[in-house]
């Protein structure tokens, strides 16, 4: 697996949107990426530039495909998600996962049943199904 060039690379919102499409849909041309956007769609050149920036950052690579490059994610989604979540916990919750859960409970974003299910998963040492 190819990893991003730098462990400290961050994604902008626009870059994250494109990565989400590539992770879920697989290799895409810029035109195909543009088709996946809801209206109002960004300009073709905006998407093209953003994809090239992602390539420079090491998150995306391309392959020749007819008249246009097909771009694909080289950054692994699970690695990126785990790193992003760890950064979120560190930045906003003083590196405390307990504080994350407390905030979810406080804001009523998680139910008692969901908490019991999570506790059961922790006690049994398994991931979510």
């Amino acid at each position: 697996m190819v990893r991003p060039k730098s462990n400290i690379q961050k994604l902008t919102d626009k870059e994250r949107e494109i990565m989400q499409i590539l992770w879920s849909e697989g290799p895409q041309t810029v035109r195909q990426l543009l088709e996946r956007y809801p209206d109002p769609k960004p300009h073709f050149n905006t998407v093209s530039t953003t994809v090239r920036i992602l390539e420079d950052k090491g998150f995306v690579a391309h392959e020749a495909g007819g008249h246009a490059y097909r771009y694909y994610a080289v950054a692994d989604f699970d690695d990126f998600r785990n790193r992003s979540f760890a950064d979120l916990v560190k930045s906003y919750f003083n590196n405390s996962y307990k504080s994350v859960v407390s905030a979810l409970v406080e804001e009523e974003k998680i139910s008692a049943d969901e908490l019991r299910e999570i506790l059961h998963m922790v006690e049994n040492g398994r991931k979510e199904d």
Side-chain angles (χ1 to χ4, degrees), residues 2-111:
V2 177
R3 297 206 184 264
K5 291 179 183 176
S6 170
N7 288 337
I8 60 171
Q9 290 284 356
K10 305 287 185 197
L11 294 180
T12 66
D13 290 340
K14 289 178 184 180
E15 292 168 348
R16 192 175 302 108
E17 288 174 349
I18 289 173
M19 291 304 298
Q20 291 289 347
I21 295 169
L22 294 175
W23 281 320
S24 65
E25 304 287 331
Q28 304 281 309
T29 64
V30 171
R31 196 160 310 284
Q32 289 170 326
L33 286 166
L34 192 57
E35 290 170 6
R36 307 279 185 289
Y37 276 87
D39 288 328
K41 296 181 185 305
H43 191 274
F44 180 92
N45 290 343
T46 301
V47 175
S48 179
T49 298
T50 305
V51 170
R52 286 194 310 272
I53 290 168
L54 284 166
E55 192 167 26
D56 289 344
K57 287 183 172 183
F59 287 100
V60 167
H62 71 268
E63 59 193 11
H67 296 296
Y69 287 143
R70 291 176 50 84
Y71 294 91
Y72 59 94
V74 293
D76 182 70
F77 174 76
D78 289 331
D79 288 345
F80 185 79
R81 179 186 60 192
N82 292 341
R83 188 186 70 204
S84 296
F85 187 66
D87 288 346
L88 174 90
V89 173
K90 181 179 178 184
S91 298
Y92 296 100
F93 296 95
N94 200 28
N95 216 24
S96 168
Y97 288 84
K98 180 180 176 183
S99 294
V100 173
V101 175
S102 294
L104 292 171
V105 169
E106 194 173 299
E107 295 178 20
E108 298 180 2
K109 303 288 185 191
I110 192 168
S111 70

Side-chain angles (χ1 to χ4, degrees), residues 114-127:
E114 289 170 319
L115 281 172
R116 280 189 282 277
E117 185 178 333
I118 291 168
L119 183 58
H120 179 74
M121 289 173 6
V122 169
E123 288 172 342
N124 291 310
R126 64 178 178 86
K127 289 184 176 182

